[in-house]
Amino acid sequence: MTGDTRRPHTGRRRNEAARRAILDVAVELLGRTDDAPVTIDTIAAAAGVGKQTIYRWWPSKGAVLLEAMAERAGHDIPVPDTGTLRGDLDEFLTATFRRAGMRLTATVLRHSMAEAQRDQHAREQMRAFVGARRDVLRGVLARARDRGEIAPDADLDLIVDQAYGVLWYRILTGHAPLGDADASRLARALSDQAAATLTP
Amino acid sequence: MTGDTRRPHTGRRRNEAARRAILDVAVELLGRTDDAPVTIDTIAAAAGVGKQTIYRWWPSKGAVLLEAMAERAGHDIPVPDTGTLRGDLDEFLTATFRRAGMRLTATVLRHSMAEAQRDQHAREQMRAFVGARRDVLRGVLARARDRGEIAPDADLDLIVDQAYGVLWYRILTGHAPLGDADASRLARALSDQAAATLTP
Amino acid sequence: MTGDTRRPHTGRRRNEAARRAILDVAVELLGRTDDAPVTIDTIAAAAGVGKQTIYRWWPSKGAVLLEAMAERAGHDIPVPDTGTLRGDLDEFLTATFRRAGMRLTATVLRHSMAEAQRDQHAREQMRAFVGARRDVLRGVLARARDRGEIAPDADLDLIVDQAYGVLWYRILTGHAPLGDADASRLARALSDQAAATLTP
Amino acid sequence: MTGDTRRPHTGRRRNEAARRAILDVAVELLGRTDDAPVTIDTIAAAAGVGKQTIYRWWPSKGAVLLEAMAERAGHDIPVPDTGTLRGDLDEFLTATFRRAGMRLTATVLRHSMAEAQRDQHAREQMRAFVGARRDVLRGVLARARDRGEIAPDADLDLIVDQAYGVLWYRILTGHAPLGDADASRLARALSDQAAATLTP
DNA sequence: TTTTAATCGAGACGGTACGTCCTGTCTTTCT
DNA sequence: AGAAAGACAGGACGTACCGTCTCGATTAAAA
């Protein structure tokens, strides 16, 4: 194969430090409890960056915010392997709820979801983020199915929705916190639900 | 004894027609699919009303939107009475999902929840709205408990959270529609949860 | 002629106290040095009067302001009679400059003239007020002409304009105060001017 | 030695075309006979400019209007040099009255003076404008003094005040136009005043 | 004495302008 | 070519004011 399509890319290369600063500042500003709205000018100023540098790499404000959110809220929830569905769910939901229950993360998630309702780019990124988290949880359930812990007619997507539904609903309305006990109780209820057969 | 709460109230009285027009227009504009954001100027113009008339009665744009939303989304979901928890839940969730699944209502709910994340007044009104809907569903569960259909240690709040959690989660992320089958399956799962004792 | 078009005018009569309060408050507010604009709401509130009571009797804000101004600034400048033009002018201009030089009056005049540039009613009332003051001064000059103190070809209108021109110019631009010495010097210059014949 | 006042000034530079458009539009709108008040929104729209671009460079509406006025009304009145005070005054006042008597200019002057009564910034700019015009006329008088045409005790400021006083007084009240004959007669009267000694 | 009509204080209303803020683009200079 | 600085067009925000329109209460002449 001779076709070397490598383009030399003349000119200055993207400044990775700026990218980091922008995303870090975005998370920090999004996480503020005071209702001061997060603006591009604020982000640029706090990151010591020109506005154009932001718009060169992201299509809109929402896109920046959502990428910042996804970075923070998506990673480092380990995929558990306790051997039982209930154990796996308990561990996973506890870790997930703990993370989402942190004040900073919760605020970031709240405002990101709000942004996703207005900004098309943010909407798509939220879709991708949510899809990725769902896939992880579905993976846990799929493993349990392979172990025979799950009824063949169980609606796994609904179970995933129940888990993340409780999480987002509480974060967005703030009517109750996300506690460890809630995670455990929910884990038990959902594993029971997954095991139940449809025939009454 | 007639309660003499007579207040003299000198001066012109609030124009009820204007109030209606404002809320109606707000819902109509909120429900538009095109992502043109709903503006106070737009509402005022479309309702044939001065901006000050809006700000005289509502503290912020979000407050208007939330009141309009609550009026539309809260009412006319009947409280069922089939005699069984599962039947009641099925009926209630089916009606609720159907309503929330309507394109107009869903759009209104989405943007209302987004607004509630930025606007303090909207936030409080969303809290009240969500609380009222939860109370209705809790009432259904409480009646079932009186009939002995519910385990004494069941966490009713968590059950309510799952029901509305699934609803909001799907509306906000749009990853799946709210179908009748979903409502029924969820009704069955939740009634089973409620009935289950902790000691398996 | 039998047509008695007298309409008896049943109903409540105009409240003279309210009229006085409105005009007094208008002068007081107009005379404030702080640049807070004088509004109808402010006048009404300070006079303890409803806005409609103002608009029932005056066609616009400017009309109220101008009437208030005219009341204050027009009266009680006595028409002098010293026997000579120079003496009359000195007395009249000194009294006029003293009155117009008072801080309160000056501020009222300034803002009235400004109002007269925007408000049609105010404009007409200013025209009438200015005309009346000019007539008084022209009267002084006419008397002097009857005494033979004035050249036949003197332009009395121009002399009047010079006198009031200096007054308004200084009030409006504030570049110099209106002092007694100015009045006297101007009186002398203008009486000389009136006496001079055109043929050099 | 070249003064090295080099300031790097990074960033986009002020758009001179926008500045011109704003001032031109301001004059044009100020000069309209219909009494529609001149609005910042109107100026911005007619100049094809965002409102912020106006407020970035001028502190208030009045400041824009006054700068536009000063540009139009101040320039191109030549300083005469006929050799005699009377000739100089005649030429200067005739040119000045002609310019101020133009319908457009008169309207602009009227509304500018009105604005200067309410707006602090406009007030200061009016002060500067008036001062500059006075200085020019004082220059004419000073030259005549050097030629020995003026009495040592003449009050030159009062003479200047009479000239501009008549101008503004007529423009603002509109009780008489500014004609060439008025200018000439005033020129003669004022030159006589300047020449007269106090002790006749 | 009752009726009728006009005025009053209070205050909501439609409309318009204000001056601020924010978005996403464009321009300039430097690296 | 990328970056910081910052001006730009556009447009929404929430406030202020104008002049009009109720509302219930008051006051005076007419019936």
Side-chain angles (χ1 to χ4, degrees):
Chain A
M1 252 163 275
T2 66
D4 185 89
T5 48
R6 193 172 64 87
R7 230 215 328 138
H9 181 60
T10 122
R12 196 168 175 178
R13 232 57 59 79
R14 177 171 189 179
N15 183 345
E16 190 57 29
R19 183 178 167 279
R20 270 263 50 81
I22 290 165
L23 293 176
D24 289 348
V25 162
V27 162
E28 190 204 320
L29 294 179
L30 265 185
R32 288 215 200 292
T33 15
D34 58 45
D35 59 354
V38 180
T39 71
I40 284 288
D41 291 79
T42 311
I43 295 176
V49 141
K51 283 170 58 172
Q52 195 62 14
T53 300
I54 297 180
Y55 282 108
R56 212 187 319 275
W57 303 110
W58 287 275
S60 72
K61 184 175 72 162
V64 183
L65 265 33
L66 264 285
E67 182 168 335
M69 179 278 283
E71 252 196 11
R72 162 155 194 99
H75 303 312
D76 64 27
I77 305 287
V79 180
D81 189 8
T82 60
T84 67
L85 173 56
R86 180 165 164 195
D88 283 358
L89 277 182
D90 194 308
E91 219 164 84
F92 185 77
L93 290 184
T94 299
T96 299
F97 276 31
R98 268 190 192 153
R99 164 54 70 103
M102 290 168 57
R103 200 194 54 67
L104 173 62
T105 309
T107 311
V108 169
L109 287 172
R110 288 201 307 114
H111 286 112
S112 296
M113 186 58 94
E115 197 66 37
Q117 306 309 314
R118 326 186 172 231
D119 183 302
Q120 188 50 44
H121 303 103
R123 187 152 181 73
E124 283 156 19
Q125 283 170 274
M126 177 59 85
R127 208 73 152 253
F129 171 75
V130 159
R133 301 314 300 156
R134 293 176 59 76
D135 285 348
V136 173
L137 183 47
R138 275 214 59 143
V140 169
L141 292 166
R143 258 202 347 257
R145 178 156 55 194
D146 295 343
R147 288 194 302 257
E149 293 188 83
I150 292 187
D153 56 357
D155 184 343
L156 300 193
D157 274 321
L158 183 59
I159 291 172
V160 172
D161 285 352
Q162 286 170 255
Y164 282 120
V166 168
L167 183 151
W168 278 105
Y169 181 57
R170 290 204 175 172
I171 283 179
L172 289 166
T173 65
H175 75 270
L178 288 167
D180 283 3
D182 300 304
S184 294
R185 241 171 302 192
L186 188 56
R188 166 153 192 194
L190 294 182
S191 55
D192 287 353
Q193 183 177 330
T197 55
L198 272 185
T199 51
Chain B
M1 246 160 283
T2 64
D4 186 75
T5 44
R6 196 174 65 86
R7 229 214 333 147
H9 183 58
T10 147
R12 190 175 182 174
R13 236 59 58 78
R14 176 172 190 177
N15 182 348
E16 193 56 31
R19 183 181 166 276
R20 272 262 49 82
I22 290 165
L23 294 176
D24 289 350
V25 162
V27 162
E28 191 205 319
L29 294 178
L30 265 184
R32 286 215 200 293
T33 1
D34 58 48
D35 60 352
V38 180
T39 288
I40 284 286
D41 292 76
T42 309
I43 294 176
V49 142
K51 286 186 4 172
Q52 197 59 49
T53 299
I54 298 181
Y55 284 109
R56 209 189 320 276
W57 301 109
W58 288 276
S60 70
K61 185 174 66 162
V64 183
L65 266 32
L66 264 285
E67 181 167 335
M69 180 278 284
E71 256 196 358
R72 163 156 192 97
H75 303 312
D76 63 29
I77 304 289
V79 178
D81 190 5
T82 60
T84 67
L85 173 56
R86 181 167 162 194
D88 284 358
L89 277 182
D90 194 306
E91 220 166 82
F92 184 78
L93 290 184
T94 299
T96 300
F97 276 31
R98 269 190 191 153
R99 165 52 73 103
M102 291 168 59
R103 201 195 53 70
L104 174 60
T105 309
T107 312
V108 169
L109 287 172
R110 286 202 310 116
H111 285 111
S112 297
M113 186 58 94
E115 198 66 38
Q117 305 310 315
R118 329 189 165 230
D119 184 309
Q120 187 51 43
H121 307 287
R123 188 152 181 71
E124 282 156 20
Q125 281 171 273
M126 177 57 87
R127 219 47 166 265
F129 170 75
V130 158
R133 299 316 299 158
R134 294 176 58 77
D135 285 347
V136 173
L137 183 48
R138 276 215 57 143
V140 170
L141 293 166
R143 256 203 348 256
R145 178 156 55 195
D146 295 344
R147 287 194 304 257
E149 294 187 81
I150 291 188
D153 56 356
D155 184 343
L156 299 193
D157 273 322
L158 188 58
I159 290 171
V160 172
D161 284 352
Q162 289 176 73
Y164 284 120
V166 167
L167 183 151
W168 279 106
Y169 181 56
R170 290 203 176 172
I171 283 179
L172 289 166
T173 65
H175 74 271
L178 287 168
D180 282 3
D182 299 305
S184 294
R185 243 170 299 189
L186 187 55
R188 168 155 190 193
L190 295 182
S191 55
D192 286 352
Q193 265 187 43
T197 55
L198 274 185
T199 51
Chain C
M1 242 159 283
T2 65
D4 184 85
T5 46
R6 193 175 63 88
R7 233 220 323 141
H9 180 59
T10 129
R12 193 173 180 174
R13 231 61 57 78
R14 177 174 189 176
N15 182 347
E16 193 55 30
R19 182 180 168 277
R20 271 262 50 82
I22 290 165
L23 292 176
D24 289 349
V25 162
V27 162
E28 190 204 320
L29 294 179
L30 266 185
R32 285 214 201 293
T33 14
D34 58 44
D35 59 353
V38 180
T39 70
I40 284 288
D41 291 78
T42 311
I43 295 176
V49 141
K51 283 170 57 169
Q52 192 64 266
T53 299
I54 297 180
Y55 282 107
R56 212 188 319 273
W57 303 110
W58 288 275
S60 71
K61 183 176 70 161
V64 183
L65 265 32
L66 264 284
E67 181 167 337
M69 180 278 283
E71 251 196 10
R72 163 155 194 98
H75 304 313
D76 65 25
I77 304 288
V79 179
D81 189 6
T82 60
T84 67
L85 174 56
R86 179 165 164 197
D88 284 357
L89 276 182
D90 194 307
E91 219 165 81
F92 184 78
L93 291 184
T94 300
T96 299
F97 277 31
R98 268 189 193 154
R99 165 54 71 103
M102 292 167 57
R103 201 195 53 68
L104 173 62
T105 310
T107 312
V108 169
L109 287 172
R110 287 202 306 117
H111 286 111
S112 297
M113 186 58 94
E115 197 67 37
Q117 305 310 314
R118 325 183 173 235
D119 184 304
Q120 188 51 43
H121 303 104
R123 187 152 181 72
E124 283 156 20
Q125 283 171 271
M126 177 57 85
R127 207 78 151 248
F129 171 75
V130 159
R133 301 313 301 155
R134 293 176 58 76
D135 286 347
V136 172
L137 183 47
R138 276 215 58 141
V140 170
L141 292 166
R143 256 200 353 254
R145 177 156 54 195
D146 296 344
R147 289 193 303 258
E149 294 187 82
I150 291 189
D153 56 357
D155 185 344
L156 299 193
D157 274 322
L158 183 59
I159 291 173
V160 172
D161 285 351
Q162 285 168 255
Y164 283 120
V166 169
L167 183 150
W168 279 105
Y169 181 57
R170 291 206 177 171
I171 283 179
L172 289 166
T173 65
H175 76 271
L178 288 168
D180 283 3
D182 300 305
S184 293
R185 241 170 302 191
L186 190 55
R188 166 151 194 195
L190 294 181
S191 55
D192 287 353
Q193 182 177 331
T197 56
L198 271 188
T199 51
Chain D
M1 243 155 289
T2 64
D4 185 78
T5 44
R6 195 174 66 85
R7 230 217 329 148
H9 183 57
T10 145
R12 191 174 179 173
R13 235 57 61 76
R14 177 172 188 177
N15 183 348
E16 194 55 31
R19 182 179 166 277
R20 272 261 51 81
I22 290 165
L23 293 176
D24 291 348
V25 162
V27 163
E28 191 205 318
L29 295 179
L30 265 184
R32 286 214 200 293
T33 2
D34 58 45
D35 61 351
V38 180
T39 288
I40 284 287
D41 292 76
T42 310
I43 295 176
V49 143
K51 287 191 348 174
Q52 196 60 49
T53 298
I54 298 181
Y55 284 108
R56 208 190 322 275
W57 301 110
W58 289 276
S60 69
K61 185 174 65 162
V64 183
L65 266 32
L66 264 285
E67 182 168 335
M69 180 278 283
E71 255 195 359
R72 165 159 191 95
H75 304 313
D76 65 28
I77 305 288
V79 179
D81 189 7
T82 61
T84 67
L85 174 56
R86 181 164 163 196
D88 284 357
L89 277 182
D90 195 306
E91 220 165 82
F92 185 78
L93 290 184
T94 300
T96 300
F97 276 30
R98 269 191 192 150
R99 165 55 72 103
M102 291 167 58
R103 200 195 55 67
L104 174 60
T105 310
T107 313
V108 169
L109 287 173
R110 287 204 306 116
H111 286 110
S112 296
M113 187 57 96
E115 198 66 36
Q117 305 310 316
R118 327 189 167 227
D119 184 308
Q120 187 53 41
H121 307 287
R123 188 152 182 71
E124 282 156 20
Q125 281 171 272
M126 177 58 87
R127 212 66 157 256
F129 170 75
V130 159
R133 300 315 300 158
R134 294 177 57 78
D135 285 348
V136 173
L137 183 48
R138 276 214 58 142
V140 169
L141 294 167
R143 255 201 349 254
R145 178 155 53 194
D146 294 344
R147 288 193 303 258
E149 294 187 81
I150 293 190
D153 54 357
D155 185 343
L156 300 192
D157 274 320
L158 188 57
I159 290 172
V160 172
D161 284 350
Q162 290 175 70
Y164 285 119
V166 169
L167 184 151
W168 279 105
Y169 181 56
R170 292 206 176 169
I171 283 179
L172 290 166
T173 65
H175 74 271
L178 287 169
D180 282 3
D182 300 305
S184 294
R185 241 169 303 192
L186 188 55
R188 167 153 191 193
L190 295 182
S191 54
D192 287 352
Q193 265 187 43
T197 56
L198 272 186
T199 55

